[in-house]
Amino acid sequence: MSISHIRNFCIIAHIDHGKSTLADRLLEITGTVTRREMKDQILDQMDLERERGITIKLAPVRMQWQGYQLNLIDTPGHVDFTYEVSRSLAAVEGAILLVDATQGIEAQTLANLHLAQKHNLVIIPVINKIDLPAADVERVAQEIIKLLQCRRDDIIAISAKTGKNVEKVLRSVINKIHPPQNNDFSSQALVFDSFFDSYRGVVVYVRVFSGSISAGEKLNFLQTGSQAEALEVGCFRPRMSKTDKLQTGEIGYIVTNLKNINQAKVGDTITTDTTSKVEPLPGYEEVKPMVFAGIYPKEGDDFQRLREAIEKLKLNDAALTFSVENSPALGVGFRCGFLGMLHLEIFQQRLQREYNISVVTTVPSVAYQVYLRSGEKVVIKSPQEFPRPEEIDKVEEPIMKVEIFTPAKYIGNIMKMVVKRRGEYIETEYLDEDRVILHYFLPLNSLLVDFYDTLKGVSAGFASLNYEFFAYQVCDIVKLDILVAGEKAEALSTLTYTDEAYQAGRRIVDSLKEAIPRQLFEIKIQAVLGGKIIASSRIPPLRKDVTAKLYGGDVTRKRKLLEKQKQGKKKMQKIGSVDIPPEAFLSVFKR
Ligand code: GTP
């Protein structure tokens, strides 16, 4: 295939605006997949993706149409997976910007567009779902014109569902998106994804920027320094399909003889050239998990299975981190790091579905940077690691830059809610008279607890949200200890803002009171902040009626017995190891 007949592109959109449906139509029109083979959303290969109708992993596919080779990479829309989007963008020359005709531009539309513009991609604006009665094509067209400074007739209005005008999109891809540049130097291929196949080894997804790669050639990974052999090369139609070689401009896969995914890092450059000095292509920023939670097996003996499952999931999920963690209450488990709440949720569901393991998940928390008086800096991912107050110089938390898209009439509600969650207002930007973007700085902490649901609640479901990491900033975080019967229950301690400590203490103490069963002695539960008790409650004892067996007799004998009982109780309390059932821990962890 001559390079002038290759087009590489992706589709970017807000979640649910119809990317996968459009990809299905493109596969159909180009005859890549026959109607008979067509399952809805064919590129969403994970069961979970298909069921929830969301794309999690990027998926490349090659189509042949009217003498052209068209390489499409389907990308996820949710903000947790932005890194997947930016990887796809680095491998293509153009993007279809898909906007729902009933909704208009939303938070991720804009975020993904900005990413695409950073990569200097040609943008093809497309309005989708014009078959719906609520479609307002002209209003959405105006939004797009304002955003892209394009002409009205640059915008194609389609229905990905019925297929109306979808061919025009393909024509536009061919006419407007540039073919790849013809570079005749040594081979250079960008790894934009990789996975481990237990039968074949590590498979990398590549975009070849110069030269070519064939099966049997030796591969050098420029960043990791790994060396490997190309056992097979090929492209996606959409299943993996073997070809002789991958040449400049093409997107495809290489099956390598590597056994460890860490040797084939996403963002690395592969070359077959060992003689001259080949420059690595610009890679990507490595993704860092932002949200941490304890993951424990529900059945105590499932630890080994859990470990194996997590290790397997990790093979295809570069962003996931994990380390062993011990909890007196929940047993042995893992502290895992995620990109965001959706990533965490999907991880849990995959454990359940693909490995049949139910887990208990603790309240997610962010990673704090703690500067110690000794000059050292430590990263804290759980309350148990938090240093003693006297050791701490300052604590920093991650702050996000947040954009909220909303119809103007919900501004008041949203502002109230965001301020309550420690948002710092930056500005309001008007998309048109009645649609705005509110800009805020917001602690990541606030995003973790029901933020999205509450936002949807106060905006009748209309607001959408995008966020990105901004910076670490000093915060006033303290560790709240919980004493049960006078003993510190380390596993129950939490981190909280100082000015919310009283509330948090009250909440924990109350929920423990509900969750710990009464025992033969009184149990005191206390929340302690810097040595001071800020909330407490008591669980009254089960009273054993020691006098029940006593018929008659004089009153002093009765009193003696009661006295003895009291002493016994005292003793029990002193040595008192209170049995705290796991549900009690969960009542605290699950906010
Ligand atoms: P993510 O993968 O989660 O980012 O979503 P997506 O953008 O891939 O959206 P998807 O293709 O899953 O479509 C979302 C919903 O919109 C589905 O229920 C589709 O059936 C529906 N949909 C997509 N295109 C059209 C269209 O042209 N008309 C109508 N009526 N519905 C459509």
Side-chain angles (χ1 to χ4, degrees):
M1 174 74 55
S2 141
I3 195 167
S4 62
H5 281 63
I6 297 177
R7 298 291 182 276
N8 297 316
F9 67 106
C10 60
I11 309 174
I12 52 178
H14 188 71
I15 195 156
D16 277 350
H17 282 198
K19 251 183 311 102
S20 310
T21 310
L22 174 58
D24 288 353
R25 285 301 84 70
L26 296 178
L27 292 178
E28 221 174 75
I29 291 175
T30 56
T32 311
V33 175
T34 60
R35 209 163 242 287
R36 199 167 49 81
E37 293 167 320
M38 180 63 72
K39 268 192 266 176
D40 275 350
Q41 285 148 28
I42 195 147
L43 294 185
D44 287 350
Q45 287 185 5
M46 268 189 244
D47 273 356
L48 193 64
E49 288 184 312
R50 200 167 290 132
E51 210 162 286
R52 298 187 46 163
I54 55 173
T55 308
I56 301 164
K57 291 291 289 176
L58 54 83
V61 61
R62 179 183 292 184
M63 302 173 278
Q64 305 282 357
W65 193 62
Q66 302 193 339
Y68 285 84
Q69 179 196 110
L70 307 173
N71 292 305
L72 162 67
I73 305 182
D74 190 19
T75 58
H78 191 279
V79 55
D80 273 13
F81 300 103
T82 300
Y83 78 105
E84 296 261 349
V85 180
S86 60
R87 279 153 46 172
S88 320
L89 297 179
V92 297
E93 278 80 24
I96 295 171
L97 181 74
L98 192 67
V99 185
D100 187 321
T102 66
Q103 303 202 334
I105 290 166
E106 295 281 352
Q108 260 80 60
T109 319
L110 203 65
N112 290 331
L113 173 66
H114 289 335
L115 284 175
Q117 287 171 330
K118 260 193 223 160
H119 286 88
N120 293 319
L121 301 190
V122 173
I123 307 290
I124 298 176
V126 174
I127 299 177
N128 187 28
K129 306 196 188 180
I130 58 169
D131 59 295
L132 289 175
D136 189 347
V137 178
E138 286 321 306
R139 181 184 71 84
V140 176
Q142 288 313 313
E143 280 184 10
I144 295 176
I145 291 170
K146 200 170 155 200
L147 184 67
L148 296 180
Q149 309 288 323
C150 63
R151 289 174 307 150
R152 174 64 184 84
D153 45 340
D154 290 332
I155 305 172
I156 310 169
I158 67 162
S159 165
K161 188 167 185 177
T162 67
K164 185 163 185 203
N165 290 343
V166 173
E167 245 189 74
K168 282 193 190 162
V169 176
L170 279 179
R171 262 179 234 301
S172 202
V173 165
I174 290 170
N175 294 331
K176 292 193 175 161
I177 296 175
H178 319 303
Q181 272 184 8
N182 197 356
N183 298 320
D184 239 351
F185 330 122
S186 308
S187 60
Q188 266 183 322
L190 177 70
V191 179
F192 64 90
D193 204 359
S194 62
F195 72 95
F196 178 76
D197 179 310
S198 34
Y199 298 108
R200 319 183 76 177
V202 172
V203 181
V204 290
Y205 291 14
V206 292
R207 154 71 199 261
V208 182
F209 278 89
S210 67
S212 69
I213 296 177
S214 312
E217 285 189 288
K218 294 265 175 285
L219 307 173
N220 295 303
F221 289 77
L222 292 182
Q223 276 168 29
T224 57
S226 318
Q227 300 198 320
E229 193 188 329
L231 301 177
E232 179 184 315
V233 302
C235 63
F236 305 91
R237 298 176 189 273
R239 306 264 169 258
M240 284 164 77
S241 132
K242 199 160 140 179
T243 56
D244 292 340
K245 61 177 177 179
L246 289 172
Q247 49 192 4
T248 310
E250 290 188 327
I251 288 173
Y253 67 85
I254 306 174
V255 180
T256 71
N257 60 341
L258 295 174
K259 292 283 169 263
N260 183 345
I261 195 110
N262 292 326
Q263 295 173 290
K265 279 217 163 83
V266 168
D268 205 343
T269 303
I270 295 179
T271 180
T272 52
D273 192 328
T274 45
T275 51
S276 70
K277 208 162 160 36
V278 180
E279 288 293 311
L281 296 158
Y284 321 98
E285 273 178 48
E286 249 184 70
V287 281
K288 284 201 204 78
M290 287 287 205
V291 175
F292 297 84
I295 305 281
Y296 291 85
K298 234 183 206 149
E299 266 107 59
D301 54 359
D302 263 358
F303 175 75
Q304 214 36 45
R305 279 181 58 218
L306 178 62
R307 175 196 284 276
E308 279 161 26
I310 293 180
E311 278 169 357
K312 286 216 183 98
L313 287 177
K314 166 73 192 167
L315 287 180
N316 294 316
D317 187 347
L320 175 74
T321 62
F322 64 96
S323 55
V324 176
E325 180 179 78
N326 255 301
S327 157
L330 304 170
V332 192
F334 296 92
R335 177 125 298 235
C336 299
F338 305 94
L339 297 168
M341 295 301 277
L342 181 66
H343 189 202
L344 163 61
E345 198 185 317
I346 284 167
F347 170 79
Q348 267 173 289
Q349 290 187 1
R350 291 188 69 185
L351 283 177
Q352 175 78 57
R353 258 155 205 267
E354 292 166 32
Y355 299 93
N356 200 14
I357 298 177
S358 307
V359 292
V360 172
T361 307
T362 66
V363 180
S365 82
V366 305
Y368 295 97
Q369 294 188 348
V370 181
Y371 292 82
L372 301 177
R373 294 233 158 102
S374 64
E376 210 186 323
K377 182 176 114 180
V378 285
V379 177
I380 299 298
K381 296 170 196 157
S382 79
Q384 284 72 43
E385 300 168 348
F386 207 68
R388 288 198 307 275
E390 61 273 19
E391 293 176 78
I392 298 175
D393 179 24
K394 62 176 181 183
V395 182
E396 291 182 344
E397 65 173 342
I399 301 289
M400 312 302 277
K401 214 163 163 228
V402 176
E403 289 167 352
I404 299 172
F405 281 57
T406 176
K409 63 176 168 185
Y410 302 112
I411 294 180
N413 285 355
I414 293 174
M415 286 190 160
K416 246 188 260 158
M417 157 208 168
V418 181
V419 166
K420 234 194 196 155
R421 288 161 191 256
R422 301 178 170 265
E424 185 192 322
Y425 174 77
I426 308 171
E427 60 171 346
T428 305
E429 191 183 329
Y430 278 83
L431 278 172
D432 57 35
E433 313 75 274
D434 58 29
R435 299 225 329 138
V436 302
I437 312 175
L438 300 170
H439 296 265
Y440 280 97
F441 290 125
L442 188 79
L444 177 55
N445 236 330
S446 307
L447 276 174
L448 298 189
V449 197
D450 297 339
F451 189 90
Y452 188 69
D453 291 343
T454 316
L455 177 67
K456 287 282 177 196
V458 300
S459 66
F462 282 111
S464 68
L465 171 74
N466 190 55
Y467 46 88
E468 59 179 6
F469 174 70
F470 174 64
Y472 267 90
Q473 264 176 19
V474 172
C475 62
D476 193 3
I477 287 281
V478 284
K479 183 172 164 190
L480 191 63
D481 284 320
I482 302 297
L483 307 190
V484 177
E487 275 185 46
K488 187 145 98 184
E490 194 56 52
L492 286 172
S493 56
T494 50
L495 299 176
T496 159
Y497 294 105
T498 305
D499 60 4
E500 289 175 10
Y502 280 85
Q503 252 177 303
R506 190 74 256 160
R507 185 181 53 77
I508 294 173
V509 161
D510 287 346
S511 54
L512 283 176
K513 183 180 171 182
E514 291 303 311
I516 297 178
R518 287 169 70 170
Q519 300 182 23
L520 285 173
F521 47 92
E522 177 184 280
I523 304 168
K524 259 211 207 111
I525 303 168
Q526 297 158 314
V528 180
L529 182 65
K532 218 174 92 195
I533 294 167
I534 58 168
S536 80
S537 67
R538 55 181 282 275
I539 302 174
L542 282 172
R543 202 183 153 116
K544 200 161 89 187
D545 195 353
V546 283
T547 61
K549 278 187 289 190
L550 229 56
Y551 303 104
D554 76 340
V555 76
T556 49
R557 197 161 136 64
K558 201 169 177 175
R559 206 174 283 141
K560 235 191 218 154
L561 272 173
L562 282 172
E563 203 60 38
K564 210 168 129 203
Q565 187 196 29
K566 211 159 131 200
Q567 263 171 15
K569 271 195 225 159
K570 245 192 220 152
K571 203 162 150 203
M572 263 198 273
Q573 209 173 49
K574 213 159 57 196
I575 53 169
S577 67
V578 179
D579 288 330
I580 306 177
E583 306 86 67
F585 283 90
L586 286 182
S587 73
V588 173
F589 294 144
K590 294 222 161 132
R591 285 192 229 185

